[in-house]
């Protein structure tokens, strides 16, 4: 493989912003990678020249660095067994459920951990090759928690930031992790460790004190070698302006009208857009909607639900089970309460380009976002950004990070099906004036707290953070 390009600003994430997929017939193509991380970081990197290091989504394939959509991309290869053990295994069978309130049981396997260490070292080595002397490397998310310390050992000249896009678990749950100390030490290789939520940042500092034994004061960790590590909360956001621009495009409006027509022009279009993941509360929201129809609280002529479920981690057992469950549940509800020409739930197991998403947001009267636990949930913010008419209602789980910021949403506890039914009805019946008061205030918040502000606040803090405690005497 040829020498990679070098850059003063480097993003390291498990995935590149594009995924290499094999189409039926064997041809390969590039597709936008799933998930909020990519949609949030892509505009950041497009505006700050730099390189993006990540896996290209296909196993056992070594690719040369390439440029896509103005971005310098540096692929990291994974073998078939590394996809199984590092990505599907430790990242998504151990860390993902553990960090999401153990809503599914995490599995702990030593071979998975060994693969995680090996692959993290490969990412760190790639970053060490690409980053210019004195440059900034920004490591992303739970798949790469060991990279900061590995990279610091290879390249002590760099400024290293880490941001966790998902929740960081309460200390009681984190303690289950057999390799808890190694993970904390991995993160401590960064100068700045960022979380979505202040509580997560506090959990991290507390765990470092308890488990690694370092001195801490407020959000600062004092390492024995004189280095300082800062922890902080930086709630992530979206490129609000570009979503609004897309929403205002006449082609988007026209497509939104078509969608409503195709759905039978009902009074209420309810919409869910999620990766097909057991943390997203899909079962709960569909059951709530189905029960409202079955008991006659809403009329089939008045309301339909569109659920887009983007395929995700399809070879992981818990995701296979979920897919079957949702298929069955949708089939049952449609079979029980539907009739010829009227299907209550339109279920789309697919991913869509940004323009189609914007049209769906425009077509939806009620956006239903009901995760059991979610670091942020950018779909909620995208919906708000697209409602430039101040219409529409957002039903939002109190367990999504976004609920801390979008305070005017219709809040629900997704574990409480009756409560969720009542809130869905409330949102449907609210007068336009009430909905527009709520939406206006959320739109103001999202447009003021956009992705540029998020990236700037993290990167400014990283640039300005003290790295040694000569100026800050260590607490005793
Ligand atoms: O933010 C959560 C996250 O896991 C990202 O790290 C990831 O890019 C996205 O969701 C999609 O998940 P996956 O890459 O496993 O398809």
């Amino acid at each position: 493989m040829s020498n990679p390009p070098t850059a003063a600003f480097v993003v390291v994430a498990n995935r590149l912003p594009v995924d290499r997929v094999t189409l039926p017939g064997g041809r390969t193509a590039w597709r936008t990678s799933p998930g909020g991380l990519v949609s949030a970081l892509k505009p950041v990197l497009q505006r700050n020249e730099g390189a993006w290091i990540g896996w290209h989504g296909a196993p056992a394939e070594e690719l040369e660095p390439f440029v896509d959509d103005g971005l310098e991309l540096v692929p990291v290869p994974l073998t078939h067994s590394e996809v199984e053990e590092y990505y599907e295994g430790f990242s998504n069978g151990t860390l993902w459920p553990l960090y999401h309130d153990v809503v599914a049981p995490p599995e702990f396997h030593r071979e998975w951990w060994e693969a995680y260490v090996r692959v993290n070292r490969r990412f760190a080595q790639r970053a060490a090759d690409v980053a210019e002397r004195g440059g900034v490397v920004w490591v992303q998310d739970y798949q790469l928690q060991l990279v900061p310390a590995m990279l610091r050992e290879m390249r002590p000249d760099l400024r290293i930031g880490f941001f966790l896009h998902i929740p960081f678990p309460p200390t009681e749950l984190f303690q289950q992790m057999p390799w808890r100390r190694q993970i904390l030490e991995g993160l401590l290789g960064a100068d700045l460790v960022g979380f979505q939520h202040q509580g997560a940042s506090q959990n991290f500092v507390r765990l470092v004190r308890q488990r690694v034994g370092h001195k801490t004061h407020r959000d600062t960790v004092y390492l024995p070698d004189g280095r300082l590590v800062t922890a902080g909360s930086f709630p992530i956001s979206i490129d609000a302006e570009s979503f609004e621009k897309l929403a205002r495009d006449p082609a988007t409006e026209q497509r939104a009208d078509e969608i409503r027509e195709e759905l039978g022009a009902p009074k209420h279009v309810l919409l869910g857009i999620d990766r097909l993941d057991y943390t997203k509360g899909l079962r709960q929201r569909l059951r709530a909607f189905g029960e409202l129809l079955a008991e006659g609280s809403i009329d089939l002529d008045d309301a339909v639900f569109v659920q887009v479920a983007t395929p995700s981690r399809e070879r992981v057992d818990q995701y296979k089970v979920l897919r079957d469950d949702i298929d069955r549940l949708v089939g049952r509800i449609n079979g029980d309460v539907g009739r010829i020409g009227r299907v209550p739930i339109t279920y789309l197991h697919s991913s869509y380009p940004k323009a189609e998403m914007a049209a769906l947001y425009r077509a939806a009267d009620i956006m239903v976002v009901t995760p059991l636990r979610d670091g942020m949930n950018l779909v909620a913010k995208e919906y708000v950004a697209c409602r430039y008419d101040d219409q529409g209602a957002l039903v939002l789980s109190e367990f999504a990070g976004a609920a801390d910021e979008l305070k005017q949403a219709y809040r629900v506890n997704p574990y409480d099906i009756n409560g969720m039914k009542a809130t869905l009805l409330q949102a449907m019946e609210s007068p336009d004036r009430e909905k527009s008061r709520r939406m206006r205030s959320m739109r103001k918040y999202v447009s003021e707290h956009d992705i540029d502000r998020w990236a700037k606040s993290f990167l400014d803090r990283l640039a300005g953070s003290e790295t040694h405690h000569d100026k800050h005497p260590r607490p005793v």
Side-chain angles (χ1 to χ4, degrees):
M1 181 164 293
S2 60
N3 283 342
T6 58
F9 177 55
V10 179
V11 164
V12 191
N14 174 57
R15 271 184 194 276
L16 287 177
V18 283
D19 234 7
R20 194 159 169 84
V21 287
T22 306
L23 304 172
R27 224 166 32 87
T28 53
W30 291 101
R31 182 186 69 185
T32 301
S33 301
L37 182 153
V38 164
S39 59
L41 274 170
K42 200 171 163 188
V44 171
L45 207 70
Q46 275 166 332
R47 291 199 263 273
N48 295 271
E49 258 176 44
W52 183 317
I53 296 175
W55 175 47
H56 47 278
E61 206 181 14
E62 296 222 5
L63 298 180
E64 293 291 333
F66 61 103
V67 175
D68 179 80
D69 215 0
L71 298 177
E72 192 82 58
L73 306 183
V74 183
V76 176
L78 294 182
T79 64
H80 282 284
S81 74
E82 285 165 351
V83 173
E84 261 170 48
E85 296 179 348
Y86 148 78
Y87 170 68
E88 293 165 353
F90 199 78
S91 298
N92 292 312
T94 306
L95 292 168
W96 180 266
L98 181 68
Y99 283 30
H100 285 88
D101 280 0
V102 297
V103 295
E107 287 183 45
F108 302 104
H109 298 294
R110 283 165 287 182
E111 328 68 86
W112 290 4
W113 164 252
E114 281 154 23
Y116 185 77
V117 175
R118 195 168 60 246
V119 171
N120 269 244
R121 184 155 297 118
R122 187 173 311 143
F123 275 85
Q125 186 58 59
R126 210 68 184 139
D129 298 339
V130 168
E132 283 174 10
R133 183 141 205 88
V136 171
V137 177
W138 194 1
V139 184
Q140 311 290 325
D141 230 356
Y142 62 102
Q143 302 94 340
L144 301 177
Q145 293 173 100
L146 306 179
V147 169
M150 291 171 169
L151 181 59
R152 178 161 303 281
E153 225 184 293
M154 297 169 191
R155 291 286 308 273
D157 59 296
L158 298 172
R159 213 161 248 265
I160 304 172
F162 178 90
F163 185 75
L164 185 71
H165 291 251
I166 67 173
F168 189 73
T171 51
E172 300 74 18
L173 293 180
F174 188 79
Q175 317 278 30
Q176 291 182 9
M177 166 65 72
W179 305 279
R180 55 200 179 189
R181 185 175 173 133
Q182 288 94 316
I183 287 184
L184 295 170
E185 284 174 340
L187 293 170
L188 287 172
D191 297 299
L192 176 62
V193 184
F195 299 89
Q196 300 277 22
H197 198 271
Q198 188 54 30
S201 171
Q202 287 160 352
N203 286 349
F204 169 70
V205 173
R206 191 173 318 124
L207 276 160
V208 165
R209 197 167 55 239
Q210 288 171 355
R211 287 282 148 205
V212 196
H214 292 325
K215 295 264 186 295
T216 64
H217 181 61
R218 297 210 172 124
D219 58 1
T220 306
V221 180
Y222 295 76
L223 300 188
D225 65 359
R227 222 163 48 78
L228 292 178
V229 180
T230 310
S233 68
F234 302 86
I236 199 167
S237 194
I238 56 160
D239 187 352
E241 202 184 315
S242 89
F243 267 101
E244 174 160 350
K245 197 163 157 232
L246 195 54
R248 285 181 184 273
D249 186 328
T252 307
E253 266 328 309
Q254 196 189 330
R255 176 70 191 131
D257 290 345
E258 268 167 35
I259 292 171
R260 290 192 70 95
E261 279 308 308
E262 280 161 15
L263 291 168
K267 207 156 129 203
H268 307 286
V269 174
L270 289 82
L271 173 68
I273 299 185
D274 308 81
R275 272 186 317 100
L276 184 52
D277 194 296
Y278 53 81
T279 59
K280 301 290 184 185
L282 295 164
R283 290 187 188 102
Q284 288 78 354
R285 86 179 61 144
L286 295 176
R287 275 183 60 198
F289 181 68
E291 286 184 21
L292 285 172
L293 285 172
E295 70 201 20
S297 304
I298 48 179
D299 194 307
L300 187 54
D301 287 322
D302 286 344
V304 297
F305 203 116
V306 178
Q307 177 63 55
V308 175
T310 309
S312 184
R313 306 172 191 166
E314 289 179 286
R315 288 162 18 128
V316 177
D317 284 345
Q318 282 148 346
Y319 289 76
K320 288 186 192 151
V321 172
L322 174 73
R323 180 160 186 203
D324 289 346
D325 279 4
I326 299 296
D327 283 354
R328 249 194 317 271
L329 183 60
V330 170
R332 204 178 63 222
I333 297 171
N334 282 346
D336 284 353
V337 293
R339 57 160 208 270
I340 289 175
R342 199 71 181 172
V343 181
I345 300 173
T346 298
Y347 175 56
L348 305 162
H349 183 245
S350 188
S351 66
Y352 291 99
K354 204 168 154 186
E356 182 72 358
M357 302 269 278
L360 282 162
Y361 292 140
R362 293 294 310 151
D365 303 292
I366 301 181
M367 185 78 213
V368 189
V369 181
T370 59
L372 306 176
R373 179 59 74 194
D374 210 334
M376 173 54 65
N377 199 293
L378 295 180
V379 161
K381 291 188 174 180
E382 289 172 5
Y383 178 68
V384 167
C386 288
R387 302 311 311 203
Y388 60 84
D389 51 356
D390 291 337
Q391 281 304 307
L394 174 66
V395 173
L396 181 60
S397 162
E398 58 191 73
F399 301 117
D404 289 343
E405 298 176 275
L406 304 179
K407 296 203 174 6
Q408 298 296 328
Y410 294 84
R411 282 169 81 94
V412 288
N413 169 0
Y415 293 96
D416 171 10
I417 305 278
N418 282 347
M420 194 143 57
K421 283 161 66 180
T423 308
L424 286 173
L425 278 180
Q426 184 198 352
M428 281 186 251
E429 286 162 6
S430 279
D432 284 353
R433 206 159 20 92
E434 163 72 4
K435 285 192 286 208
S436 100
R437 182 187 62 75
R438 290 175 181 246
M439 189 53 76
R440 203 173 316 117
S441 126
M442 292 191 288
R443 272 178 37 74
K444 182 167 183 307
Y445 186 90
V446 171
S447 74
E448 286 171 0
H449 297 78
D450 66 355
I451 191 67
D452 285 336
R453 179 165 168 166
W454 170 75
K456 189 170 175 340
S457 71
F458 186 96
L459 294 172
D460 284 355
R461 184 92 177 269
L462 178 60
S465 60
E466 295 295 344
T467 53
H468 284 86
H469 40 85
D470 346 326
K471 294 199 197 113
H472 296 261
R474 218 173 125 187
V476 278

